[in-house]
């Protein structure tokens, strides 16, 4: 799933990839025995004038068996921002910011946090004959900067 910036989804990947000056860049990659980290600059995927920075960090921690995804956004004027989780599995919320996906005895737990107030809700959607659940992560008011972190554990 990709962020929704100022009410807009990202530009089609084919358009982003076809422009040599407009590509998603790797800002950081660091691989150790304990954890792997890779951070992408997602600015090229959005055509939104007040967007100043948008990055997504993936962190896999082998010691705690966790995957952490952190989206960091900055605008030059207050704008809306949403994130999302997508699943085809059963969804159960355990708190306002946490829950799990399950199927056939397998469970993936998640927790979402942010430096600004947010709410989450689940919507069943269908696209290309595939039905799935989108867990929307909605910041409650427009922001000039925000960080949304999603932590997944088994």
């Amino acid at each position: 799933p990709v962020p929704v910036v100022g009410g807009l989804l990202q530009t089609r990947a084919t358009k982003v990839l076809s422009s040599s000056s407009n590509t998603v860049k790797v800002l950081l990659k660091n691989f150790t025995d304990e954890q792997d980290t890779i951070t992408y600059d997602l600015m090229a995927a959005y055509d939104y004038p007040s967007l100043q920075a948008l990055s997504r960090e993936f962190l896999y921690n082998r010691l705690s068996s966790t995957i952490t995804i952190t989206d960091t956004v900055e605008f030059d004027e207050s704008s809306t921002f949403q994130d999302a989780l997508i699943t085809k599995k059963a969804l159960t919320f355990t708190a306002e910011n946490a829950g799990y996906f399950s199927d056939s005895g397998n469970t993936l737990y998640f927790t979402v946090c942010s430096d600004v107030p947010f709410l989450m809700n689940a919507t069943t959607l269908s696209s290309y004959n595939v039905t799935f659940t989108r867990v929307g992560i909605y910041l409650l008011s427009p922001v000039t900067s925000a960080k949304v972190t999603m932590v997944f554990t088994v």
Side-chain angles (χ1 to χ4, degrees), residues 25-29 38-42 54-56:
K25 296 173 182 66
V26 175
L27 298 175
L28 169 78
K29 57 183 174 181
I38 189 163
T39 304
Y40 295 98
D41 177 352
L42 300 181
L54 177 58
S55 65
R56 174 168 281 178

Side-chain angles (χ1 to χ4, degrees), residues 2-150:
V2 296
V4 179
V5 175
L8 301 174
L9 290 172
Q10 71 180 24
T11 306
R12 288 228 175 254
T14 52
K15 182 178 177 187
V16 173
L17 295 175
S18 69
S19 172
S20 61
S21 65
N22 231 14
T23 58
V24 173
K25 296 173 182 66
V26 175
L27 298 175
L28 169 78
K29 57 183 174 181
N30 185 35
F31 303 101
T32 68
D33 291 341
E34 292 81 28
Q35 70 182 25
D36 297 337
T37 305
I38 189 163
T39 304
Y40 295 98
D41 177 352
L42 300 181
M43 289 255 321
Y46 294 87
D47 185 18
Y48 192 73
S50 71
L51 182 63
Q52 296 300 302
L54 177 58
S55 65
R56 174 168 281 178
E57 177 188 76
F58 293 91
L59 187 146
Y60 170 57
N61 186 306
R62 288 180 189 77
L63 303 176
S64 62
S65 297
T66 59
I67 294 174
T68 303
I69 301 171
T70 301
D71 288 343
T72 304
V73 66
E74 294 179 18
F75 299 100
D76 63 7
E77 59 185 47
S78 291
S79 298
T80 59
F81 185 77
Q82 300 175 28
D83 241 320
L85 306 173
I86 304 291
T87 185
K88 290 175 55 181
K89 306 301 179 188
L91 165 68
T92 303
F93 285 108
T94 58
E96 289 183 357
N97 70 325
Y100 61 89
F101 308 115
S102 61
D103 181 30
S104 304
N106 297 309
T107 303
L108 178 65
Y109 297 91
F110 66 88
T111 302
V112 177
C113 59
S114 179
D115 58 351
V116 296
F118 68 97
L119 64 84
M120 296 192 315
N121 73 1
T123 306
T124 301
L125 302 170
S126 185
S127 181
Y128 299 103
N129 294 320
V130 175
T131 300
F132 57 93
T133 301
R134 178 185 188 275
V135 179
I137 303 164
Y138 303 92
L139 303 189
L140 293 180
S141 60
V143 296
T144 54
S145 66
K147 186 179 286 194
V148 177
T149 301
M150 299 160 272

